[in-house]
Amino acid sequence: MTLTPPAALARRLREAGCVFAEDEAGLLLAAADDVAALERMVEQRAAGRPLEQILGWAEFRGLRVRVEPGVFVPRRRSSLLVALAARRLAPGDVVVDVCCGSGALGLALAAAVPGLRVYAVDNDPAAVRCARRNLDVVGGTVLQGSLLGPLPTSLRGQVSAVVAVPPYVPSAEIALMPAEARDHEPRAALDGGVDGLDVMRALAAEVGPWLAADGHVLVEVAAHQAQAVAAQLGAVGLGAGVESDDESGATAVVARRR
């Protein structure tokens, strides 16, 4: 089998607007079984489909996370949430990944803190199917529904950490997003309403009774939203602060039950 030379493939991807064309060319070449398969993948990438959906996986904190078509692609900046949560968890603790998408946060936390009891929740049936395939290997439980509602009532007062990358893009800004997100990821995973905080408000309103005595809530938000989110969590009796990582551009609000 003779595949397109890497340099020629990278040039084609670069002309289509792929910033990391050389890296992507290598990944596509490694994934292709034959010339026809490579051509299909390159055409999809040139049309804007996320590379991770084409390959079927995303790299996240050194793990290969399965990513299926139509499922939110985990961002590397979300590694900050995992690092912040991991240092607050111990084996046997219960962690809940809300708005879980592929289940990447739960999978990464299970790798970082072996022995966690991992739950993940999402409204989207496609995300639930994908997350189950990822979390089955660590014994995770994936549930379909809104926020914490699907959790068994036995977990009330038992959750050590709730982690979430909720949709936080203001509705009017969806059109300004890169096409690979805007056109190929579920809008419900991106659109947070007029100010981007609709889902965050709903989560703040219901999270308190689920937390253990020293339980935490850790959420990814845009930097300009952080103080508003901290105030929302403070209003329901949680002590909240803001963490950021300049290298990745990530911002997280971390709140603890008082």
Side-chain angles (χ1 to χ4, degrees):
M1 176 180 67
T2 302
L3 297 180
T4 305
L9 182 55
R11 183 168 57 253
R12 185 175 169 188
L13 292 170
R14 194 178 304 107
E15 290 171 353
C18 299
V19 177
F20 302 105
E22 287 78 10
D23 293 340
E24 293 193 12
L27 290 168
L28 291 172
L29 282 165
D33 293 327
D34 53 42
V35 174
L38 178 63
E39 181 61 24
R40 286 194 299 272
M41 290 190 290
V42 172
E43 287 181 355
Q44 290 176 26
R45 185 66 184 121
R49 184 172 292 280
L51 177 69
E52 295 84 357
Q53 291 183 2
I54 296 168
L55 296 174
W57 59 271
E59 190 279 330
F60 184 68
R61 289 185 62 89
L63 303 170
R64 278 199 177 190
V65 180
R66 183 184 298 276
V67 178
E68 297 176 3
V71 173
F72 181 80
V73 176
R75 282 27 171 190
R76 293 188 179 184
R77 64 175 173 266
S78 300
S79 181
L80 175 63
L81 273 189
V82 176
L84 292 170
R87 71 181 65 159
R88 293 166 168 83
L89 292 167
D93 283 348
V94 175
V95 62
V96 182
D97 180 0
V98 175
C99 305
C100 71
S102 65
L105 296 185
L107 183 64
L109 282 168
V113 187
L116 288 179
R117 296 168 58 196
V118 177
Y119 289 79
V121 184
D122 203 290
N123 254 333
D124 184 0
V128 169
R129 288 193 300 270
C130 185
R132 282 177 177 155
R133 297 181 75 178
N134 281 314
L135 292 174
D136 275 353
V137 296
V138 295
T141 299
V142 183
L143 303 167
Q144 183 175 344
S146 176
L147 301 177
L148 300 166
L151 294 176
T153 57
S154 60
L155 291 183
R156 284 184 174 267
Q158 303 298 314
V159 177
S160 296
V162 172
V163 296
V165 181
Y168 59 82
V169 181
S171 301
E173 296 179 18
I174 297 293
L176 306 177
M177 296 185 72
E180 59 186 68
R182 184 186 67 235
D183 297 338
H184 298 282
E185 294 182 312
R187 186 180 179 101
L190 306 171
D191 191 340
V194 173
D195 63 354
L197 298 180
D198 282 359
V199 177
M200 190 57 240
R201 275 187 284 271
L203 178 60
E206 66 179 69
V207 72
W210 295 94
L211 295 177
D214 59 348
H216 288 80
V217 182
L218 305 97
V219 292
E220 178 181 298
V221 294
H224 70 276
Q225 298 168 329
Q227 292 303 327
V229 171
Q232 289 168 6
L233 292 167
V236 296
L238 305 179
V242 178
E243 300 275 358
S244 61
D245 178 68
D246 293 337
E247 184 176 349
S248 66
T251 300
V253 176
V254 181
R256 183 178 182 180
R257 186 169 180 176
R258 292 188 176 121

